[in-house]
Amino acid sequence: MPRLGVLGTLVLDTIHRPAPADDVLTDLGGIAYSLAALEAVAPIGWNVFPFIKVGADLRPEADAFLDGLERVESLDGVLTVPEPNNRVDLFYSSKPRRCEKLTGGVPGWTWSELAGAVSSCDALIVNFIAGWEIDLETAGRLHSVFRGPVYADIHSLLLSLGPDGVRSLQPLPEWPAWRRCFDFVQMNEEELNTLAEADREPSEEARDSVVNGPETLFVTRGAAGSRWYTRTSDGVQEGEVATEPVAAELADPTGCGDVWGAACASSLLAGVFAAAAAGRAIRIAGLAATHRGTTGLAAALMSVADSGGQR
């Protein structure tokens, strides 16, 4: 049975909604969103193998969450570390604008820690939740050795960490080297704008990236949908996928990008083309936005699990 490795960081989120709701929810977040989504929409017959370092202070909660996921075949890649687990306070001023404040210090992975177990996987999702899950050297080793497809959501790779824990976007000078390490890359529109050089359009940066890096680049645009760029023998193909109306009330955008990525990667592994994969990801992430936190999220997403024949 094929194995999908999922590398990321488990976080304890405290989500502060804006007025007039003005309430607070504490729940597991970070890679928990990806894993909950994969429980519902991973390709038929695939198992999930998480690579997560968890602070000893959060290990009981992590085990309870992971034990509830049938697709997770083993916790051998879940390591307990002495550092305090990452905790994030998310303050929403208006959807989807937010301030993110991080505490905790779970370290990233070295190649020697990953090499053995990752070789048993048939595909890999790398979700930069903290931003330091792997460094560029490890990513390069992974690219040179791993034979399966690697899907990367680079989100927090572009986030700085201030002395007060507040995170903000920053340029990534090593981007030309990073993009060569992955087969599929996901970023949002603001991140693409940050990566683009001052004298070029973001769309030009996206096209250049797929010529010199991943086979396909996905750019999520929130309520505006998403764009995709893919390298072919005839050059770069690109397109746009609009969002679909969601019947239920939007509850919380937290984790929607992680759900989007899990759904998109799952569709690609099932042989779905980029445009259809992005469309399915939009539908599933839209449903996730009507659910708060990760508790019960997998069950909530089951209603769209059969869309695309994944289960």
Side-chain angles (χ1 to χ4, degrees):
M1 186 172 291
R3 172 185 278 187
L4 173 59
V6 181
L7 173 63
T9 302
L10 194 67
V11 177
L12 187 65
D13 281 339
T14 300
I15 303 168
H16 305 257
R17 287 208 294 183
D22 200 24
D23 62 354
V24 177
L25 172 71
T26 299
D27 203 354
L28 291 180
I31 203 65
Y33 282 98
S34 301
L35 295 171
L38 290 170
E39 178 74 2
V41 303
I44 189 168
W46 283 69
N47 284 333
V48 174
F49 188 90
F51 293 91
I52 307 171
K53 289 184 176 180
V54 182
D57 56 329
L58 199 69
R59 185 64 197 242
E61 292 86 348
D63 286 343
F65 173 78
L66 295 168
D67 287 343
L69 301 176
E70 294 182 5
R71 291 293 193 102
V72 173
E73 63 166 298
S74 169
L75 299 186
D76 289 350
V78 181
L79 309 183
T80 303
V81 297
E83 293 84 356
N85 201 85
N86 293 19
R87 286 166 163 77
V88 171
D89 278 281
L90 297 164
F91 300 90
Y92 285 93
S93 54
S94 62
K95 298 172 184 177
R97 307 302 299 179
R98 73 188 192 189
C99 173
E100 180 176 340
K101 185 173 184 179
L102 170 67
T103 58
V106 171
W109 294 75
T110 64
W111 176 243
S112 61
E113 291 174 319
L114 282 175
V118 80
S119 64
S120 69
C121 296
D122 300 282
L124 184 65
I125 294 174
V126 179
N127 192 343
F128 287 93
I129 301 293
W132 53 80
E133 278 77 4
I134 55 175
D135 60 17
L136 182 54
E137 179 183 357
T138 300
R141 295 287 298 274
L142 179 67
H143 175 68
S144 65
V145 172
F146 188 66
R147 295 308 171 204
V150 180
Y151 183 106
D153 180 351
I154 67 165
H155 175 56
S156 292
L157 193 58
L158 277 74
L159 290 183
S160 66
L161 182 64
D164 57 356
V166 174
R167 313 212 68 181
S168 57
L169 271 174
Q170 64 179 356
L172 184 64
E174 302 87 359
W175 172 235
W178 273 107
R179 68 190 182 187
R180 291 193 294 268
C181 298
F182 309 116
D183 301 287
F184 304 95
V185 168
Q186 174 189 334
M187 65 181 69
N188 64 37
E189 192 169 36
E190 192 174 10
E191 291 153 5
L192 176 61
N193 294 342
T194 301
L195 289 172
E197 297 176 5
D199 59 347
R200 72 191 313 185
E201 291 294 319
S203 58
E204 187 180 351
E205 173 63 42
R207 295 184 195 103
D208 183 62
S209 289
V210 297
V211 169
N212 297 290
E215 173 188 326
T216 304
L217 174 69
F218 295 96
V219 182
T220 61
R221 305 173 62 213
S226 64
R227 291 196 61 82
W228 55 270
Y229 302 81
T230 192
R231 184 175 65 248
T232 73
S233 58
D234 298 322
V236 177
Q237 293 185 12
E238 60 186 271
E240 187 169 327
V241 183
T243 56
E244 297 184 0
V246 177
E249 179 185 359
L250 297 182
D252 189 351
T254 307
C256 286
D258 305 308
V259 171
W260 200 104
C264 185
S266 295
S267 296
L268 293 169
L269 289 176
V272 175
F273 184 65
R280 184 164 184 265
I282 285 173
R283 290 193 298 275
I284 294 168
L287 181 58
T290 68
H291 184 91
R292 297 199 69 197
T294 54
T295 300
L297 178 59
L301 297 178
M302 290 292 182
S303 64
V304 292
D306 291 329
S307 176
Q310 301 296 293
R311 288 181 67 90

